[in-house]
Amino acid sequence: MEEARARNSFPCEVVMGIFSNICSIYCFHQQFLLPALEKRMEEWDLNPRIGDILQKLAPFLKMYGEYVKNFDRAMELVNTWMQRSSQFKAIIHNIQKEEMCGNLTLQHHMLEPVQRIPRYELLLKDYLHRLPEDADDFKDAQKSLELIATAAEHSNAAIRKMERMRKLLKVYELLGGEEDIVNPTNELIKEGHILKLSAKNGTSQDRYLILFNDRLLYCVPKLRLIGQKFGVRARIDVDGMETSSMNVPRTFLVSGKQRSLELQAIQATIQRHEQTLETFRMLNCSFREEDFTPPNSPNCTELGKRAPTPIREKEVTLCMKCQEPFNSITKRRHHCKACGHVVCGKCSEFRARLLYDNNRANRVCIDCYTTLVSKSLNIYITNAAMNCSDVGWRSYREPAGVRSCSQTGRYPRPSRKKGRSQYLREKAHDWLKI
């Protein structure tokens, strides 16, 4: 902002458009949320709870909705001015070189506030999962989680509202500003080309229909290279509008208070629609029945021993495990580091040690986690059964923690009620915890 004012190299409005209300968000965290949490951490032994703080301050998290709503426009402004202004580009590059930026781009840091509310929600869920139900903080934490979930929904609603307004503006430009459709109560449902059958001679004429939640616009194309593309010929209220099929194939009648139209679907459109349905059907079958795997990916025997070939994130719109659709806020894409599938956070909330990555813990999907853990468990139990002597088993009485037989030469004495195999499995599960 100071650079823009001093050198007048780019408008101050650009900076405001990029960062939106980030100053308000920063002040809220710097002056209220962070000091309250730091103070509570200092006195945690006397008052071990955070639910009351979050319950008090969670309603203010709705201010993230304004930032999230402006995020796409902010990205466009950054990309546009990086190309338009060399001074703007130089300033951004100098900022990104600073140590506090961690070699990350401005766009990466701008994404952090968008992800903040979902992260709060996940952290609070994990906190509640580990908190006993009879704890003093349990009820406050539950209430806080509800409030934070409301803030997340507020951000999602802001995104949906912005998308609706974008669609309305696009249609507004197609109609050359003739129709007053840019209104928060209006919702665009469907638009597209269609054939209208002439009442005089039965010939088909190319027309364009735009369906809103309250009206249907019957439009005719205008032969213009720029500007207005369609003119509104008739407006039919949805209230009282009826549709009925005709004897002619692909033909139907739309009758309303203002006008009745005999319309016919375009054959090419029907074919594209059928091809799309068939493509989705085949993809769905391949995901569910054939357990689709990327090319050159490791099979079951090589799982974890060889790096997979990851599927491109842009090619996948649904989680390859639960089939839920992805979005940029609450259902983000993640790669399974074992098989390469693109899955959601819920289906990849597991960690497993992978041999190809020096036995380090990596994010894996639920199927790979089950396979890897069962393999490790079988190896662990086999080695334990081979290495643990009956003498050492019976003589050792005090627990020695979870260590391998090569380290201890024996195992802690099992409970009388538990068999040796069951005891080994429990210890193996402890050893495999990550």
Side-chain angles (χ1 to χ4, degrees):
M1 185 70 76
E2 293 176 358
E3 183 71 22
R5 290 171 179 169
R7 300 187 183 182
N8 199 24
S9 53
F10 49 88
C12 297
E13 291 77 11
V14 173
V15 181
M16 295 296 296
I18 291 174
F19 295 104
S20 185
N21 65 332
I22 195 67
C23 291
S24 301
I25 295 174
Y26 176 78
C27 290
F28 165 72
H29 283 274
Q30 187 71 14
Q31 299 177 15
F32 297 98
L33 184 58
L34 182 60
L37 291 176
E38 288 178 340
K39 183 179 179 181
R40 183 57 54 85
M41 291 300 102
E42 294 174 358
E43 55 186 32
W44 185 259
D45 293 335
L46 299 175
N47 190 15
R49 55 194 303 169
I50 59 173
D52 56 335
I53 296 175
L54 296 177
Q55 185 176 346
K56 179 181 177 181
L57 298 178
F60 293 96
L61 296 177
K62 290 184 178 180
M63 68 174 67
Y64 277 89
E66 186 67 26
Y67 182 89
V68 171
K69 184 171 65 174
N70 184 67
F71 181 74
D72 288 341
R73 176 174 175 268
M75 290 291 102
E76 293 177 2
L77 282 173
V78 171
N79 296 331
T80 300
W81 281 91
M82 288 280 281
Q83 298 174 0
R84 182 183 298 181
S85 172
S86 58
Q87 293 178 335
F88 181 89
K89 185 177 181 180
I91 292 171
I92 298 301
H93 283 169
N94 290 335
I95 293 174
Q96 291 175 168
K97 291 178 182 177
E98 295 183 6
E99 185 178 354
M100 65 176 66
C101 290
N103 295 323
L104 297 175
T105 62
L106 173 64
Q107 291 89 331
H108 180 93
H109 289 292
M110 290 174 64
L111 184 61
E112 291 291 328
V114 176
Q115 301 171 336
R116 184 65 56 85
I117 301 298
R119 285 177 179 173
Y120 283 163
E121 189 175 3
L122 291 175
L123 287 171
L124 199 51
K125 284 181 179 179
D126 187 58
Y127 174 71
L128 272 169
H129 179 70
R130 300 171 186 271
L131 196 66
E133 292 187 5
D134 57 349
D136 296 336
D137 197 27
F138 191 80
K139 291 185 178 180
D140 286 340
Q142 275 189 325
K143 182 64 177 177
S144 301
L145 179 59
E146 293 175 5
L147 293 173
I148 291 178
T150 301
E153 178 57 31
H154 185 268
S155 297
N156 293 337
I159 294 175
R160 291 193 294 267
K161 182 179 179 181
M162 199 63 193
E163 286 297 323
R164 288 200 300 267
M165 292 302 293
R166 277 208 193 103
K167 292 179 180 179
L168 290 176
L169 285 172
K170 182 180 177 181
V171 174
Y172 183 78
E173 292 174 359
L174 288 177
L175 300 178
E178 287 185 354
E179 288 291 312
D180 184 19
I181 59 174
V182 184
N183 190 302
T185 60
N186 285 346
E187 182 178 356
L188 177 64
I189 298 176
K190 193 73 175 178
E191 60 174 318
H193 288 274
I194 201 165
L195 297 177
K196 190 259 181 184
L197 298 181
S198 174
K200 295 181 178 179
N201 50 23
T203 57
S204 58
Q205 302 164 339
D206 183 26
R207 295 293 183 260
Y208 198 81
L209 292 184
I210 306 174
L211 178 62
F212 296 95
N213 58 328
D214 62 342
R215 77 191 88 167
L216 174 68
L217 298 183
Y218 168 65
C219 308
V220 295
K222 291 194 173 183
L223 300 178
R224 295 182 182 179
L225 296 177
I226 57 174
Q228 184 180 6
K229 302 295 182 182
F230 301 98
V232 179
R233 182 67 62 84
R235 302 163 185 82
I236 304 175
D237 294 336
V238 171
D239 185 19
M241 186 173 68
E242 297 179 354
T243 59
S244 56
S245 58
M246 306 286 290
N247 295 329
V248 182
R250 310 189 314 274
T251 305
F252 59 98
L253 179 68
V254 176
S255 58
K257 298 177 181 178
Q258 292 81 7
R259 183 168 177 176
S260 294
L261 301 171
E262 191 174 347
L263 304 173
Q264 187 177 63
I266 301 175
Q267 182 63 30
T269 304
I270 295 176
Q271 292 176 352
R272 285 197 301 268
H273 180 67
E274 291 176 348
Q275 289 174 359
T276 303
L277 290 177
E278 181 64 18
T279 302
F280 276 110
R281 189 190 66 78
M282 293 177 64
L283 285 174
N284 193 44
C285 291
S286 64
F287 284 147
R288 293 180 179 271
E289 298 174 8
E290 300 175 8
D291 193 21
F292 173 78
T293 54
N296 303 322
S297 286
N299 52 33
C300 291
T301 57
E302 297 178 329
L303 196 66
K305 299 179 182 179
R306 185 164 64 89
T309 303
I311 298 176
R312 293 179 182 176
E313 292 186 356
K314 293 183 178 179
E315 295 178 356
V316 183
T317 58
L318 303 177
C319 172
M320 299 177 71
K321 297 300 175 185
C322 66
Q323 303 297 310
E324 291 292 326
F326 291 117
N327 60 66
S328 60
I329 305 299
T330 59
K331 203 80 169 176
R332 299 181 60 220
R333 295 171 174 85
H334 300 277
H335 270 114
C336 172
K337 301 301 182 182
C339 65
H341 283 179
V342 181
V343 292
C344 65
K346 187 175 181 181
C347 293
S348 61
E349 57 184 2
F350 306 93
R351 298 268 176 180
R353 301 186 187 277
L354 304 179
L355 290 177
Y356 79 82
D357 195 23
N358 297 324
N359 213 33
R360 285 196 289 261
N362 284 268
R363 179 190 288 269
V364 295
C365 65
I366 183 171
D367 293 340
C368 292
Y369 177 79
T370 304
T371 304
L372 292 169
V373 167
S374 62
K375 280 172 141 183
S376 303
L377 187 58
N378 291 333
I379 294 171
Y380 183 76
I381 292 175
T382 303
N383 292 338
M386 292 174 63
N387 295 332
C388 294
S389 64
D390 291 338
V391 176
W393 182 275
R394 295 191 181 94
S395 63
Y396 194 76
R397 296 177 179 275
E398 298 297 328
V402 181
R403 288 185 286 175
S404 65
C405 294
S406 60
Q407 292 174 309
T408 63
R410 55 194 176 183
Y411 267 84
R413 184 177 182 180
S415 170
R416 294 180 182 177
K417 296 182 180 180
K418 297 179 180 178
R420 180 173 177 176
S421 176
Q422 182 183 355
Y423 178 79
L424 284 173
R425 285 186 179 275
E426 290 179 358
K427 286 303 175 186
H429 275 297
D430 291 339
W431 179 74
L432 288 168
K433 283 181 180 177
I434 297 171

